[in-house]
Amino acid sequence: MTSVSPHDAILNELESEAIWALRECAGAFSRPVLLYSIGKDSTALLHLARKAFAPGPLPFTVLHVDTTWKFGEMIAFRDRLSAEWDVPIQVRTNPAGAAENITPFTRTADEYTRVMKTETLRSALTEGGFDVAIGGARRDEERSRAKERMFSLREAGHQWNPKAQRPEFWTSPNLTLQPGQTMRAFPLSNWTELDVWRYLRREDLEVVPLYFSAPRPTVLRGDKIIVVDDDRFELAPDDVVTTRTVRFRTLGCYPLSAAEESAAASIDDIIAELEDSRTSERAGRLIDGRGSASMEAKKKEGYF
């Protein structure tokens, strides 16, 4: 009898739980949508969804909210993955926000996120009539995300009340919806950052190359390292573009995503690095903020 390693046993349990949640979304709701952010977690989630319904097609829409300020490598990876996996990905942007020149350089991170991400997502969910939105968020990422259930209710207008969470007993969540209500589903809730990387390695999945260390043009914003991804980046008078060997633990809009110096150039390297890490992967997200700009405040407004 072939023995299973402790890590594989954990991954098997997590995979089964995620596939169960995805099938619940398809069975309990009439208009599910999977939100694909192009990052490692949503790539693992999309792979799990394909496994859950193989050999048939996905029984729900796949949607990417594009602010137009993603890294060029992210967009190239999204389009290639969509073609290789034969998964159509709808893309939504906020043309009104773009027309008003709302960018990471013309607005605060809070205002930019509200207009280009939250408002775009809310309008896409409303116009699509989607009653459950499936995402790759994990509880270990950030404190407000730790408050979410695997199936998290949203009131009219996609509003979230973290104090009004429904209990989840084993595999019997309450998925009923009243008029105006929708659901958010998080099949990777119980995964950790390390679990995701170990799963990506086991399943031999590709991710955006930005996760791997390489020499990249950078500037400093305080103590944060920002990669200058294209010629739209607005340099300050005292900026000095310096090549540093960096990688990303989390990906978003490039002017608001900090890199970290690292020599991890493979998944094995990343796993070894994370086993010794004591910092949060979202420490590099300039949009999380505090007070009125906190992640929890954004989530209450409809942010994912």
Side-chain angles (χ1 to χ4, degrees):
M1 181 177 179
T2 304
S3 61
V4 178
S5 72
H7 288 155
D8 270 334
I10 291 169
L11 292 179
N12 289 342
E13 291 181 9
L14 291 170
E15 181 185 65
S16 294
E17 180 183 57
I19 286 175
W20 162 79
L22 287 159
R23 289 173 175 167
E24 284 290 299
C25 289
F29 299 97
S30 60
R31 289 281 293 166
V33 60
L34 187 147
L35 301 181
Y36 183 63
S37 70
I38 317 177
K40 66 185 187 307
D41 304 294
S42 62
T43 296
L45 180 63
L46 187 55
H47 171 74
L48 285 159
R50 294 172 73 229
K51 267 195 167 186
F53 302 103
L58 295 183
F60 38 68
T61 300
V62 180
L63 174 70
H64 174 225
V65 173
D66 187 0
T67 63
T68 74
W69 284 91
K70 302 299 183 185
F71 291 91
E73 287 181 83
M74 293 178 69
I75 302 304
F77 180 84
R78 178 199 69 193
D79 294 344
R80 180 166 61 82
L81 190 76
S82 175
E84 290 179 0
W85 286 7
D86 193 23
V87 174
I89 299 176
Q90 293 186 12
V91 178
R92 284 292 297 261
T93 62
N94 186 340
E100 294 176 30
N101 195 33
I102 294 177
T103 77
F105 298 101
T106 63
R107 297 291 194 278
T108 64
D110 187 29
E111 175 68 3
Y112 166 77
T113 300
R114 182 184 66 79
V115 175
M116 300 305 290
K117 292 187 175 182
T118 305
E119 289 185 1
T120 310
L121 173 60
R122 288 170 57 168
S123 64
L125 295 179
T126 299
E127 291 169 17
F130 299 117
D131 50 0
V132 60
I134 309 161
R138 309 184 324 268
R139 290 193 180 110
D140 76 321
E141 285 182 272
E142 193 269 339
R143 285 177 295 179
S144 69
R145 286 184 166 167
K147 297 179 181 180
E148 295 271 23
R149 298 285 195 264
M150 186 170 288
F151 291 94
S152 184
L153 188 68
R154 294 301 191 268
E155 299 296 341
H158 308 287
Q159 300 293 305
W160 178 56
N161 180 358
K163 296 181 179 179
Q165 297 283 287
R166 290 174 173 175
E168 291 182 349
F169 299 112
W170 301 284
T171 56
S172 300
N174 178 0
L175 303 182
T176 59
L177 297 175
Q178 300 300 319
Q181 293 179 335
T182 58
M183 194 73 73
R184 303 281 172 95
F186 304 101
L188 304 186
S189 288
N190 295 323
W191 297 52
T192 66
E193 184 181 9
L194 260 172
D195 291 330
V196 172
W197 281 111
R198 287 173 178 147
Y199 187 72
L200 293 168
R201 178 175 64 183
R202 188 181 83 171
E203 301 293 299
D204 194 25
L205 297 175
E206 288 188 58
V207 292
V208 181
L210 292 160
Y211 284 112
F212 303 114
S213 185
R216 294 183 168 99
T218 67
V219 295
L220 293 178
R221 290 288 182 265
D223 63 347
K224 303 295 187 185
I225 300 172
I226 306 298
V227 168
V228 180
D229 194 58
D230 59 36
D231 58 10
R232 296 178 297 169
F233 193 94
E234 297 183 12
L235 296 169
D238 58 347
D239 274 337
V240 176
V241 178
T242 304
T243 298
R244 294 178 171 88
T245 300
V246 298
R247 78 174 193 89
F248 292 85
R249 286 176 69 184
T250 181
L251 294 173
C253 300
Y254 83 81
L256 300 174
S257 299
E260 57 182 52
E261 293 187 283
S262 168
S266 69
I267 291 185
D268 285 342
D269 292 342
I270 290 172
I271 289 172
E273 183 179 85
L274 291 177
E275 286 174 338
D276 294 328
S277 176
R278 295 296 180 268
T279 60
S280 166
E281 69 188 286
R282 290 192 71 91
R285 284 292 188 103
L286 277 63
I287 66 167
D288 286 4
R290 297 180 179 178
S292 63
S294 72
M295 174 61 77
E296 184 162 329
K298 291 181 176 68
K299 285 171 65 64
K300 288 178 180 178
E301 294 175 352
Y303 185 72
F304 220 85

